[in-house]
Amino acid sequence: MVQKDFIHLIEENVFILGRLADRLKVDPSKFSKYTKLQMAALVRLHVGGRAKLKDIASRECITAPALCAMFKKLERDGMVARVVDQDDRRNTWYSVTPAGSREVGRVLEKFRKGIATLFSDISVADESRLTQAVQTMNEILKKMEIVNA
């Protein structure tokens, strides 16, 4: 059983990271002409690769029709490609186009610059400790992801 102290630390980290993330928030139009939901879905599709509409909808906690409507602008602008599965026409596959990958890269670069600015005042020692802790956490989370896949 997971210990209470561990659970409270994770909870505290989630809240702290949320407050730090709030400092990164800027006018969405400065990042992209797309909504936050559209960009979040585009980034995750870029990272995860081609996926079925119903799987993306489940992951994004949005209905398939709502996601389809949201993707219409992205598709019209050439950011995503939509292909109906020829073996099962109920399934639609989405993937990021080269133009979509460039948009994701541009937005992620702005995001990374924001993170760098946010952490620019921490000491070298604290940065080193934090880097090691996050690396350890990511290694464990990746194991959990594989086990829980």
Side-chain angles (χ1 to χ4, degrees):
M1 174 138 208
V2 178
Q3 301 213 354
K4 278 185 176 181
D5 290 342
F6 173 76
I7 292 169
H8 288 294
L9 281 171
I10 293 295
E11 177 186 45
E12 185 178 357
N13 283 346
V14 167
F15 292 140
I16 290 170
L17 287 170
R19 288 191 302 271
L20 288 172
D22 285 344
R23 293 184 189 173
L24 291 174
K25 292 181 182 171
V26 294
D27 178 2
S29 66
K30 292 183 180 178
F31 267 128
S32 176
K33 65 182 181 179
Y34 301 104
T35 67
K36 182 179 176 182
L37 273 174
Q38 286 171 322
M39 276 314 302
L42 188 63
V43 168
R44 284 195 276 276
L45 187 59
H46 173 78
V47 170
R50 179 178 167 228
K52 292 178 187 174
L53 181 71
K54 64 183 180 181
D55 295 335
I56 301 167
S58 175
R59 181 178 63 215
E60 300 298 322
C61 298
I62 188 171
T63 66
L67 180 66
C68 189
M70 184 178 83
F71 271 170
K72 283 207 183 293
K73 179 173 177 50
L74 292 170
E75 185 182 5
R76 186 177 53 239
D77 290 355
M79 299 290 116
V80 297
R82 180 176 64 92
V83 176
V84 175
D85 188 328
Q86 294 303 312
D87 295 327
D88 184 350
R89 298 194 59 77
R90 296 171 297 175
N91 291 323
T92 304
W93 291 89
Y94 281 85
S95 59
V96 177
T97 65
S101 291
R102 286 190 297 277
E103 179 71 4
V104 166
R106 194 179 65 70
V107 168
L108 286 178
E109 185 56 33
K110 287 183 177 187
F111 181 71
R112 290 179 186 122
K113 286 180 182 177
I115 292 172
T117 299
L118 186 63
F119 287 93
S120 64
D121 292 334
I122 68 171
S123 69
V124 172
D126 281 349
E127 181 180 350
S128 179
R129 289 177 55 220
L130 189 56
T131 298
Q132 184 59 49
V134 172
Q135 284 174 336
T136 300
M137 187 171 76
N138 284 353
E139 289 169 9
I140 294 168
L141 291 174
K142 285 177 184 174
K143 287 180 191 175
M144 287 174 56
E145 188 176 38
I146 291 168
V147 169
N148 296 313

